Amino acid sequence: LTFLNDPLCSLTLTKLDSVTGKPVPGTVFAVKDGNGNLLGSYTTGKDGTVTVTGLVPGSTVVVSETKVPYGYVLNTTPQTIIVKNGSNTVSSGGPAGGNTNTGNGNDLTFENDPTVNLTIHKYIEGTANEPLAGVAFKVVDGSGAPVGPGDGTFYTNAAGEIVIEGLEPGTVITAREIKTLEGFVLDGSPKSVKITAGPQAPELIFWN
């Protein structure tokens, strides 16, 4: 009698920066079976990849991010794969399915949007962009909640700038001047910008 056994499969997870395409190390994935049982937690290395071993051919595996390094937005969309020897089927959007792609090898690729820095500029009107330091702004998101620590109040520095770090793409940010310097007219008109991931950093410019 001859018995044949399929070898166990492995699955390679790859994490990339959505803007630059560079690998993102230090991303943690939760790997579960089709019934929701946790198979393990895996962290990407310097090359942005990690390999899950010991998977049964033909079984369903669901992968989701649980932690991303500072400077990136967590990708909350899980991916589902049926691991096979030589090929796989990938469904975007979790076990319920979505767009299905067929390729060779057991591989899943996730992309993360980097967080974005917003710069607010304050200049003196009638000058060649002469900065105005010490001007106070109130900064809120699209729901009206204050941005950053405290109550969302920021002051321009010596360069006439306020830099707000770590904003998630898709967020709408509104800034309004609430206090200026003696000898200048307060510009109380708010300005808004939608934060987007890309090579061009967003900015808002105000004049006094």
Side-chain angles (χ1 to χ4, degrees):
L1 297 175
T2 301
F3 294 86
L4 299 178
N5 283 88
D6 287 334
L8 294 174
C9 295
S10 63
L11 168 63
T12 299
L13 308 176
T14 303
K15 167 57 63 172
L16 301 176
D17 184 304
S18 66
V19 176
T20 65
K22 293 182 179 180
V24 181
T27 301
V28 181
F29 290 99
V31 180
K32 300 180 180 181
D33 63 20
N35 297 319
N37 300 309
L38 183 65
L39 300 178
S41 181
Y42 299 84
T43 304
T44 56
K46 291 182 179 180
D47 62 352
T49 69
V50 63
T51 299
V52 183
T53 58
L55 300 174
V56 178
S59 64
T60 298
V61 178
V62 182
V63 182
S64 58
E65 286 184 18
T66 58
K67 185 179 180 181
V68 291
Y70 176 79
Y72 287 93
V73 181
L74 186 71
N75 184 341
T76 59
T77 303
Q79 293 193 48
T80 300
I81 183 172
I82 300 173
V83 290
K84 295 180 180 179
N85 287 323
S87 65
N88 67 52
T89 302
V90 180
S91 299
S92 300
N99 294 327
T100 300
N101 304 307
T102 301
N104 292 323
N106 296 315
D107 303 288
L108 289 178
T109 299
F110 290 75
E111 291 189 346
N112 277 96
D113 289 336
T115 56
V116 179
N117 296 342
L118 168 66
T119 302
I120 299 172
H121 301 274
K122 188 66 178 179
Y123 300 126
I124 300 174
E125 192 169 347
T127 67
N129 295 349
E130 183 177 343
L132 190 58
V135 178
F137 284 86
K138 178 80 170 185
V139 183
V140 298
D141 62 19
S143 68
V147 173
D151 63 351
T153 299
F154 296 84
Y155 290 84
T156 55
N157 59 20
E161 295 178 349
I162 295 169
V163 179
I164 304 174
E165 300 180 340
L167 299 174
E168 293 192 10
T171 305
V172 176
I173 300 296
T174 300
R176 179 174 57 87
E177 185 180 329
I178 58 174
K179 185 180 179 181
T180 188
L181 304 181
E182 185 178 353
F184 292 91
V185 179
L186 180 73
D187 179 5
S189 301
K191 292 185 179 181
S192 299
V193 62
K194 185 174 182 179
I195 305 302
T196 57
Q200 184 65 40
E203 61 181 10
L204 291 172
I205 299 177
F206 291 80
W207 299 84
N208 273 94

